[in-house]
């Protein structure tokens, strides 16, 4: 059951499971907290697992402002952690969650003990992605609806072919959720998508990160392919790079055991 943080005249929803050292998780753009379900089921036996849903995702409320940036979203996450009185915590973020995490860690390095950057990137958006996912987002903005074909194309970019069989129930639930989503969410969803696609590069700042870091992606992730994860790891002293075989963009669903193992290995460095 979700808890809520009342903030900026809206609400951020989160799951808080287990006891022990706190871990904050933030998932991908267009995904809710269920994408971490396999990891939380396992890790909450030993750790306090806090899964935050960004504005207009899952059970969170609407984005409080017409536009936003990744830096502003990182500030929102910081306020959330302070609301929970987390002096020091582990952080794992995937895609936009990783982009937020990198910026959060640069602003507050003393608070983050270990940093997991999954299926994410810190350079400007690639033209290839703007020509595919960016166009789908623009179409949703113009039509004021997320069309079935758009949902289908996004799902194909998120998961491997085998995952559509092995994780059919999860993908169907995700698909149905967006096909029947409240259209009042669309302005916030589009604004957050713009924050992702229009981001500035901070790749040259990553060398400032002092904490043990994991850079992970799937070998079949065309959004953030292995070369990008390797480049992130190369920029951060003492970091570990993991390329998950058989995983696309939503690696915690495509290959849950492998991703959980990589997370556990990093947590040993706290």
């Amino acid at each position: 059951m979700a808890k809520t943080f009342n903030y900026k005249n809206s609400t951020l929803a989160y799951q808080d499971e287990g006891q022990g050292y706190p871990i904050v998780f933030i998932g991908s753009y267009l995904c809710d907290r269920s994408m971490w379900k396999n990891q939380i089921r396992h890790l909450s036996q030993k750790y306090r697992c806090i899964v935050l849903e960004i504005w207009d995702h899952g059970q969170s409320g609407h984005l409080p402002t017409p536009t936003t940036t990744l830096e502003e979203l990182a500030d929102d996450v910081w306020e959330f952690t302070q609301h929970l009185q987390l002096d020091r915590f582990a952080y794992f973020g995937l895609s936009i969650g990783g982009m937020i995490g990198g910026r959060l860690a640069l602003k507050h390095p003393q608070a983050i003990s270990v940093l997991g950057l999954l299926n994410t990137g810190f350079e400007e958006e690639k033209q290839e992605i703007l020509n595919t996912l960016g166009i789908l987002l623009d179409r949703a903005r113009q039509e004021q609806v997320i069309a079935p074909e758009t949902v289908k194309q996004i799902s194909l970019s998120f998961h491997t072919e085998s995952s559509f069989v092995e994780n059919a129930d999860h993908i169907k639930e995700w698909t149905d959720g967006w096909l029947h989503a409240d259209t009042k969410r669309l302005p916030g969803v589009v604004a957050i998508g713009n924050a992702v696609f229009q981001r500035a590069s901070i790749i040259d700042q990553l060398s400032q990160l002092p904490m043990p870091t994991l850079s992970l992606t799937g070998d079949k992730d065309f959004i953030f392919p292995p070369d990008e994860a390797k480049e992130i790891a190369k920029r951060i002293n003492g970091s570990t790079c993991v390329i998950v075989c058989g995983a696309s963009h939503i690696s915690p669903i495509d290959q849950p055991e492998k991703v959980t193992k990589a997370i556990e290995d990093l947590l040993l460095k706290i």
Side-chain angles (χ1 to χ4, degrees):
M1 184 174 179
K3 299 181 179 180
T4 56
F5 168 45
N6 297 320
Y7 181 59
K8 290 184 175 179
N9 295 315
S10 190
T11 58
L12 286 168
Y14 65 100
Q15 176 184 356
D16 195 341
E17 299 285 342
Q19 297 181 342
Y21 194 86
I23 310 171
V24 175
F25 295 86
I26 298 182
S28 174
Y29 179 55
L30 301 179
C31 289
D32 62 18
R33 65 182 184 274
S34 67
M35 61 158 282
W36 298 107
K37 61 185 178 182
N38 296 297
Q39 290 69 43
I40 304 309
R41 186 182 303 118
H42 178 77
L43 294 169
S44 62
Q45 299 175 41
K46 184 177 179 181
Y47 299 95
R48 180 185 179 189
C49 297
I50 303 160
V51 191
L52 179 65
E53 294 178 318
I54 59 176
W55 307 111
D56 283 298
H57 287 62
Q59 293 180 265
S60 283
H62 298 310
L63 179 70
T65 53
T67 62
T68 191
T69 66
L70 293 172
E71 287 72 22
E72 289 170 346
L73 293 172
D75 289 340
D76 293 340
V77 174
W78 176 250
E79 292 302 323
F80 168 72
T81 65
Q82 298 312 287
H83 166 72
L84 294 184
Q85 299 181 325
L86 302 180
D87 295 328
R88 194 161 166 81
F89 53 92
Y91 181 99
F92 290 87
L94 187 145
S95 194
I96 188 174
M99 298 173 195
I100 291 170
R103 288 161 173 81
L104 184 69
L106 286 167
K107 288 186 175 184
H108 307 282
Q110 75 290 345
I112 299 179
S113 54
V114 295
L115 178 64
L117 304 172
L118 284 65
N119 302 79
T120 195
F122 295 97
E123 297 185 73
E124 293 180 355
E125 192 60 87
K126 300 183 293 293
Q127 192 61 46
E128 177 187 5
I129 301 302
L130 293 174
N131 290 342
T132 52
L133 298 181
I135 287 175
L136 293 177
L137 177 69
D138 192 54
R139 183 184 303 164
R141 179 188 60 78
Q142 293 178 18
E143 298 175 352
Q144 288 299 296
V145 67
I146 301 180
E149 182 60 28
T150 297
V151 174
K152 179 181 178 181
Q153 290 299 317
I154 293 170
S155 69
L156 291 172
S157 70
F158 274 8
H159 297 284
T160 60
E161 184 176 346
S162 62
S163 199
F164 279 86
V165 176
E166 297 164 3
N167 301 295
D169 289 345
H170 175 86
I171 295 173
K172 183 179 185 303
E173 184 177 345
W174 178 89
T175 299
D176 290 345
W178 282 111
L179 288 176
H180 302 100
D182 184 353
T183 55
K184 291 180 181 178
R185 287 181 174 268
L186 198 54
V189 169
V190 169
I192 291 170
N194 286 335
V196 171
F197 294 133
Q198 297 172 11
R199 67 185 181 272
S201 175
I202 62 165
I203 191 76
D204 291 336
Q205 299 178 45
L206 297 184
S207 60
Q208 301 172 28
L209 295 175
M211 68 286 294
T213 300
L214 166 68
S215 176
L216 178 150
T217 198
D219 66 341
K220 300 183 185 305
D221 188 350
F222 92 95
I223 301 175
F224 296 110
D227 284 349
E228 293 193 40
K230 293 174 183 177
E231 180 63 24
I232 291 169
K234 187 171 72 173
R235 299 279 182 144
I236 305 171
N237 185 41
S239 62
T240 301
C241 184
V242 173
I243 309 301
V244 180
C245 294
S248 185
H249 189 57
I250 311 300
S251 56
I253 292 293
D254 285 353
Q255 293 292 336
E257 293 83 5
K258 294 176 183 178
V259 172
T260 302
K261 174 64 166 55
I263 290 173
E264 285 189 301
D265 287 347
L266 183 64
L267 291 171
L268 293 174
K269 299 179 181 180
I270 294 174

